[in-house]
Amino acid sequence: MSGLVLCEPTELYNILNQATIYPCLSDTNYLLLLDARKKHEYNESHVVTAKKAPKSEDDEFVVPYDSELECKQHVIIYDSNTRSLKDEGPAIECGKVMWDNGSRGEVKILRGGYEDFSALYPFLRTQKILFMPREMDEIKTYPTEVLPGLLYLGNKRQGNAAYIQKDLKIKAQINCTTEEGELFKEPGPTLMHIPVDDDEESDLLSKFESVCTFIDEHKGNKRNVLVFSDLGISRSITIILAYLMHHYKWPLKEAYEHCKKCCHNIRPNRGFVHQLSKWEEELYGQTQTDISDPNF
């Protein structure tokens, strides 16, 4: 359907949890998230920061006041349980209005709607309707989800936050900071500590094989794994890239593109990129990714 695409629950989860110094949600041009359900359903609970999709006196969806559709990086709409663009429901109806009125990019319809999303991420439900700018700046983001229900990428704060471990059911950690974490302190099957500096001379290549074994063991037991470093953009993503290459037999470029969709600000240092290129050669007998590509 022209102008509309489906958005998986994990994609919305990751969009809600992007951050640099501040949560991306605090940028007014970042996300317009609209709830197209009935008013009483919205008031009962909705996805955090979602606005009730407004309607005219004729019960037709209209563009929210001051929404500036042409500026929004993401426009996402959900109803109770739309699962296909062929469905006829409030989300599709509302999405067409947003597209016809100048959405900057394709309008995303949440697959499975509120029912599926709230079942997967109940901690992102709220009754709060209005967020002040300062509240948006102070929203605590969750680790991004690289493999749904298995592998998460986070920073040091997230790796040491008990509520995050509880909400995401994290049962194992790979701590890539130089310091021991406040949680999972006891070495063993639940913790792997790789104390390296984020430096181009630091060695992660020698850890890739044991890391893959560690994650595979927990994957087999359906235990969620969080990989974290100080900022969650270099050491931790290097470990995750190495695992994706091992598990899916992806070349480095494909693994990187997948991770970039999950977390927009990943930035492994060049030393780690060269180590990943060597890992690619070890796995496949030859390098398949041109790491001199400026887009890499």
Side-chain angles (χ1 to χ4, degrees):
M1 184 177 296
S2 178
L4 304 185
V5 295
L6 283 176
C7 170
E8 298 297 331
T10 188
E11 182 180 355
L12 174 56
Y13 168 87
N14 282 336
I15 287 171
L16 290 170
N17 288 295
Q18 298 297 310
T20 50
I21 296 175
Y22 294 102
C24 288
L25 290 172
S26 65
D27 179 354
T28 56
N29 291 327
Y30 178 65
L31 172 66
L32 176 63
L33 179 60
L34 295 177
D35 187 318
R37 298 176 301 154
K38 300 291 185 182
K39 185 176 181 180
H40 73 273
E41 295 175 311
Y42 173 81
N43 289 341
E44 184 175 320
S45 71
H46 50 267
V47 179
V48 64
T49 73
K51 299 178 179 179
K52 175 72 181 74
K55 285 189 169 185
S56 67
E57 293 181 357
D58 299 325
D59 201 35
E60 300 288 338
F61 285 110
V62 296
V63 177
Y65 171 73
D66 201 27
S67 63
E68 299 182 332
L69 283 173
E70 70 281 0
C71 298
K72 292 294 188 290
Q73 186 176 341
H74 302 285
V75 176
I76 303 178
I77 301 167
Y78 66 86
D79 54 20
S80 294
N81 55 17
T82 288
R83 300 185 183 280
S84 167
L85 295 180
K86 296 179 180 179
D87 292 352
E88 293 184 4
I92 301 294
E93 182 183 342
C94 182
K96 290 178 181 177
V97 172
M98 300 306 129
W99 174 250
D100 291 341
N101 281 273
S103 175
R104 169 180 165 182
E106 291 179 310
V107 176
K108 299 175 181 178
I109 307 299
L110 181 62
R111 188 196 297 270
Y114 185 72
E115 290 182 5
D116 280 14
F117 188 85
S118 62
L120 289 167
Y121 311 106
F123 48 88
L124 292 179
R125 297 181 299 191
T126 186
Q127 292 181 319
K128 188 176 179 61
I129 294 174
L130 180 64
F131 286 80
M132 301 302 290
R134 183 171 180 177
E135 292 177 306
M136 297 293 281
D137 288 345
E138 294 175 351
I139 286 176
K140 299 295 186 184
T141 56
Y142 281 77
T144 49
E145 191 170 48
V146 179
L147 297 179
L150 171 63
L151 190 59
Y152 296 84
L153 168 67
N155 58 37
K156 185 177 179 180
R157 177 192 67 81
Q158 294 163 342
N160 290 292
Y163 74 92
I164 284 178
Q165 318 306 310
K166 178 177 180 291
D167 289 346
L168 293 180
K169 299 179 174 61
I170 301 297
K171 300 300 182 183
Q173 288 186 344
I174 299 177
N175 175 2
C176 302
T177 71
T178 56
E179 301 174 358
E180 289 188 7
E182 297 174 18
L183 306 173
F184 296 89
K185 286 187 175 180
E186 294 299 322
T190 60
L191 173 66
M192 175 177 283
H193 188 197
I194 306 175
V196 297
D197 291 313
D198 185 15
D199 185 282
E200 293 190 8
E201 301 301 319
S202 295
D203 170 35
L204 280 178
L205 176 60
S206 65
K207 309 295 183 181
F208 288 166
E209 189 170 343
S210 58
V211 161
C212 292
T213 299
F214 179 86
I215 297 175
D216 276 340
E217 288 176 353
H218 289 284
K219 178 179 180 295
N221 293 318
K222 297 182 179 180
R223 295 163 62 88
N224 298 352
V225 180
L226 170 62
V227 185
F228 73 94
S229 52
D230 286 333
L231 299 178
I233 62 175
S234 183
R235 288 166 289 183
S236 51
I237 193 60
T238 299
I239 292 298
I240 284 178
L241 286 166
Y243 179 74
L244 294 179
M245 293 164 66
H246 151 82
H247 181 70
Y248 287 110
K249 310 304 178 188
W250 286 345
L252 173 55
K253 181 178 180 180
E254 188 172 351
Y256 184 84
E257 288 173 348
H258 174 81
C259 290
K260 193 72 174 177
K261 291 177 182 177
C262 300
C263 183
H264 75 273
N265 65 334
I266 58 172
R267 195 171 63 250
N269 75 49
R270 293 307 294 176
F272 294 155
V273 171
H274 282 284
Q275 291 175 44
L276 286 165
S277 183
K278 291 179 181 178
W279 177 241
E280 184 180 62
E281 186 174 7
E282 287 184 22
L283 290 174
Y284 313 124
Q286 61 180 359
T287 56
Q288 301 180 21
T289 301
D290 179 7
I291 60 174
S292 66
D293 185 338
N295 295 319
F296 188 78

